[in-house]
Amino acid sequence: MKVAFRKAALLITTVTAVGLATLVGTSQAVNHGADGGQSTDLSDASNAGVTDGKAAAGLEKVGNFGSNPGALSMYRYKPDGLPEGSPVVVALHGCNQDATMYFDNAGWQKFADAGKFSVVAPQQELTNNGLKCFNWFEPGDVGRDKGEAQSIKQMVDKTVSDLKADPKKVYITGLSAGGGMTASMMAAYPDVFAGGAVIAGLPHGCANNSGEAWTCMSPGVSKSADQWGDIAKKADPGYSGPRPKVSIWHGTADTKVVPKNATESVKQWTNVLGADQEADGTESLPGGTTRSDYKDGNGDVVVRSYIIDGMAHGTPVKPSEGCGKTGANFFDTICSSQYIAKDWGLGG
C-alpha cells in the first residue's frame, strides 16, 4: 500500500532550511525559487488547469490504464492528425509540480505538434508524497514491475495500444525527482525506452531510503563507473538487448541536486552503454551550455551531457524562441526540449 505523505517527500524543490519535520504531514511547504528567493507554494497553484477533460495546455486525463500499483494519474497529449506508428515521449514533472505545469512550461506541446509524437505525462499525487515528488529513492517504486515504475510502464502500454504508436520509439525525460525516476525507468525497462534525458536528476540506485536521498542530493555520492553501471544493470538482470541512449542536463549553480550528480550519472550510463568517461568531443551551445559526447566502441554517441554555466536547479527553456515558459525551476537559457527531441530524431 502506498504510504501517505512519505517522510522522504523528495525535497528537491524545497529549501533545505525548512526542517523535515515541518514537511511531514502537510502539503503547505514553502517553495523557494532556484535564485534563493521565496515564492508561493506550488502544490496548490500548479493544479490549476488540470481537469478530468482537456486541460489548458492540451493534456487529457486518461483512466483505466492498468492496475496502477503506484497510484499515479495519467495525462496524455495527442497532436491532431497523429499517424499510426508515431513515437511516444514520457515527461515526468518535478516536486511541487504537476503534469500540466511541466508539459506547458517545458514547451513539449510545440515539439509534439512539429514532430508528430504523443506525450504521456504521469502525475504524482499528494496521497503518495506530500510534495508530489516521484519516489525515486524507494525500491518498491523504482523496480521493474513495482509501484510507480509499473504504473508509468502501464501508461506507455496504454498509449501504444490506443494510438497504435511505435513501441520501439518510446522515450522518457524528467526534472529533478522526475529525473531520478527517468534514470530508474531506463534501468528497470531497457527494453521499453529508446532514449532518455535526465534533467537536474540523479543516478539510478543512488538512494534506497529517505536518509540516503538527502545525501545523494547534496553533497552527492561518489562511486566508480563499474559500481554505478552494475547497479543499473541489476535493475533488469539478464537483459542483453539494446539500451536507451542517455543525455544528462545540469546547471553548475544547482545547490539542491548538486552538479556532482551529473558527473556520477555520466559514469553510470557510459559504463552501461560501453563508453569510457573521457568525452570524445565538446561543443559550446547557447545559454552558456557545454555539450560533451561520449561514444561507444562502434563510434556512436550513446551519452551526452549538457552543462549550463550558472544555471540553478531546473529545466532550461527559451521563451523567446517559442520554447516553454520561465518560472520557479524553469530558466531562460537554452531550449532543452528542442535539443532532447533532436537527439531522439524527433525533429527540432
Side-chain angles (χ1 to χ4, degrees):
M1 179 180 293
K2 302 287 287 188
V3 180
F5 302 108
R6 290 181 176 177
K7 290 184 178 181
L10 204 228
L11 307 178
I12 286 180
T13 56
T14 58
V15 65
T16 55
V18 179
L20 181 60
T22 304
L23 297 167
V24 176
T26 177
S27 64
Q28 299 303 313
V30 177
N31 178 56
H32 284 242
D35 60 358
Q38 183 172 317
S39 63
T40 57
D41 172 47
L42 300 178
S43 59
D44 292 328
S46 64
N47 287 323
V50 178
T51 67
D52 287 342
K54 285 282 185 177
L59 289 179
E60 182 178 8
K61 190 170 185 178
V62 179
N64 301 318
F65 57 86
S67 60
N68 191 18
L72 304 178
S73 295
M74 176 182 177
Y75 291 84
R76 185 170 67 198
Y77 177 70
K78 175 188 174 184
D80 292 337
L82 187 70
E84 292 185 9
S86 59
V88 178
V89 170
V90 179
L92 300 172
H93 64 77
C95 298
N96 277 328
Q97 298 177 349
D98 64 14
T100 292
M101 169 181 280
Y102 196 70
F103 176 76
D104 193 20
N105 282 36
W108 275 109
Q109 182 168 344
K110 172 181 178 179
F111 300 104
D113 288 341
K116 292 299 179 184
F117 57 83
S118 59
V119 178
V120 173
Q123 181 170 292
Q124 182 61 285
E125 301 298 337
L126 288 170
T127 50
N128 298 330
N129 184 294
L131 292 176
K132 298 186 72 174
C133 313
F134 291 103
N135 289 303
W136 61 272
F137 46 82
E138 292 283 1
D141 277 315
V142 301
R144 187 178 176 93
D145 299 333
K146 294 181 180 179
E148 293 174 12
Q150 186 175 359
S151 292
I152 295 168
K153 168 60 163 55
Q154 290 174 346
M155 295 180 197
V156 170
D157 291 342
K158 172 73 170 172
T159 298
V160 169
S161 176
D162 286 353
L163 306 184
K164 295 181 173 58
D166 188 341
K168 295 182 180 180
K169 294 182 179 179
V170 179
Y171 306 88
I172 188 166
T173 184
L175 165 66
S176 196
M181 184 61 78
T182 293
S184 291
M185 291 299 295
M186 290 190 292
Y189 294 100
D191 53 327
V192 172
F193 299 102
V198 177
I199 303 175
L202 310 98
H204 167 69
C206 187
N208 292 299
N209 55 59
S210 59
E212 291 178 359
W214 283 98
T215 302
C216 288
M217 290 160 56
S218 180
V221 173
S222 293
K223 295 182 185 293
S224 70
D226 286 342
Q227 289 173 323
W228 281 125
D230 286 346
I231 291 172
K233 293 169 189 175
K234 287 177 182 177
D236 187 11
Y239 179 76
S240 59
R243 292 180 178 270
K245 296 180 180 180
V246 180
S247 66
I248 309 295
W249 294 74
H250 225 105
T252 63
D254 191 337
T255 59
K256 296 174 183 176
V257 179
V258 296
K260 182 176 183 177
N261 284 288
T263 302
E264 300 303 305
S265 292
V266 168
K267 287 183 186 178
Q268 182 168 67
W269 294 108
T270 51
N271 179 269
V272 169
L273 293 166
D276 59 34
Q277 286 72 62
E278 183 175 350
D280 294 287
T282 61
E283 182 179 359
S284 295
L285 300 176
T289 305
T290 300
R291 179 171 67 192
S292 300
D293 289 348
Y294 300 82
K295 298 180 180 180
D296 64 10
N298 295 321
D300 295 327
V301 176
V302 291
V303 176
R304 273 183 159 162
S305 71
Y306 292 82
I307 305 302
I308 301 95
D309 186 46
M311 193 185 80
H313 184 69
T315 294
V317 296
K318 198 65 182 174
S320 63
E321 298 175 358
C323 175
K325 302 176 182 178
T326 57
N329 308 113
F330 294 92
F331 299 103
D332 186 355
T333 54
I334 186 174
C335 183
S336 57
S337 297
Q338 180 180 30
Y339 279 88
I340 290 167
K342 189 173 182 179
D343 284 345
W344 294 338
L346 304 182

